[in-house]
Amino acid sequence: MKPTIAIEYCPKCGWMLRAAYMAQELLTTFTDEISGVLLKPSETGGTYIITINEVQVFDRKEMGRFPEIKEVKQLVRDIVSPEKNLGHSDKSS
Amino acid sequence: MKPTIAIEYCPKCGWMLRAAYMAQELLTTFTDEISGVLLKPSETGGTYIITINEVQVFDRKEMGRFPEIKEVKQLVRDIVSPEKNLGHSDKSS
């Protein structure tokens, strides 16, 4: 069973576009490796949480910032496809 | 429990952008009424299937066409929020 990624975002904060953008990046990079990406409007303000199979891998409130897209791809890669090379998204900065 | 909508699309056909666009329309219109929208790359060519809580409401292969966005909103509204008025998306053509 391939993993499902969820992005829970605060719609009142205007973060749907950001969440949808990240979803599309992940769907493009991991097309064959993931079951899908779930976009989930949160009822709690300020939420931006990414989970893989319901395990949290990024929480904006904990980190005090949004993740970079490169970072999101690395987090997902490390769990769903550890041997995959992400090309320029694999450089550290 | 709010319903989850899934859009399963054929990535090889180049339909991710279309699925992501429809997901964002639904998330904007039904922010408080749905649990989320799942974008799901299909392994089968030509797939474009919309489900609500795993019940199929549109299948491109059955219909021989893509759904219009207005139609998608009406299908979702009829199930998740039957009394909701969709404004200009509620006119028949």
Side-chain angles (χ1 to χ4, degrees):
Chain A
M1 193 55 192
K2 295 175 184 177
T4 298
I5 298 160
I7 306 177
E8 187 180 350
Y9 65 93
C10 169
K12 285 177 193 141
C13 312
W15 298 342
M16 183 195 70
L17 295 175
R18 186 189 305 250
Y21 158 65
M22 290 192 181
Q24 290 172 83
E25 286 276 1
L26 294 174
L27 287 164
T28 302
T29 302
F30 301 101
T31 313
D32 299 321
E33 287 113 333
I34 60 177
S35 167
V37 179
L38 175 65
L39 292 166
K40 223 173 141 51
S42 175
E43 288 170 21
T44 311
T47 300
Y48 199 89
I49 294 174
I50 302 175
T51 58
I52 303 176
N53 281 342
E54 296 177 19
V55 177
Q56 187 177 299
V57 296
F58 194 96
D59 179 353
R60 182 184 160 276
K61 285 180 186 171
E62 233 170 56
M63 300 297 277
R65 59 175 179 84
F66 286 101
E68 284 177 75
I69 187 62
K70 180 183 292 193
E71 188 179 5
V72 174
K73 288 190 187 179
Q74 288 170 355
L75 287 167
V76 171
R77 186 268 316 273
D78 292 350
I79 290 173
V80 311
S81 184
E83 69 299 330
K84 189 181 178 90
N85 190 300
L86 293 172
H88 60 272
S89 283
D90 245 345
K91 312 231 166 66
S92 59
S93 67
Chain B
M1 195 53 193
K2 296 177 185 176
T4 298
I5 298 159
I7 305 176
E8 187 179 351
Y9 65 93
C10 170
K12 283 177 195 142
C13 312
W15 297 343
M16 184 196 69
L17 295 174
R18 185 188 306 250
Y21 158 65
M22 291 194 180
Q24 290 173 84
E25 286 276 0
L26 294 174
L27 288 165
T28 302
T29 302
F30 301 101
T31 314
D32 299 322
E33 287 113 334
I34 60 177
S35 167
V37 179
L38 175 66
L39 292 166
K40 223 175 141 51
S42 175
E43 288 171 21
T44 311
T47 300
Y48 199 89
I49 294 174
I50 302 175
T51 58
I52 303 177
N53 282 341
E54 296 176 20
V55 177
Q56 187 178 297
V57 296
F58 193 97
D59 179 354
R60 182 184 161 276
K61 285 181 186 171
E62 233 170 56
M63 301 297 278
R65 59 175 178 85
F66 286 102
E68 284 178 72
I69 187 61
K70 180 183 292 193
E71 188 180 6
V72 175
K73 288 189 186 181
Q74 288 170 356
L75 288 167
V76 171
R77 187 269 316 272
D78 292 350
I79 290 172
V80 311
S81 184
E83 69 299 328
K84 190 183 177 90
N85 190 301
L86 293 172
H88 61 269
S89 282
D90 245 344
K91 311 231 167 64
S92 60
S93 68

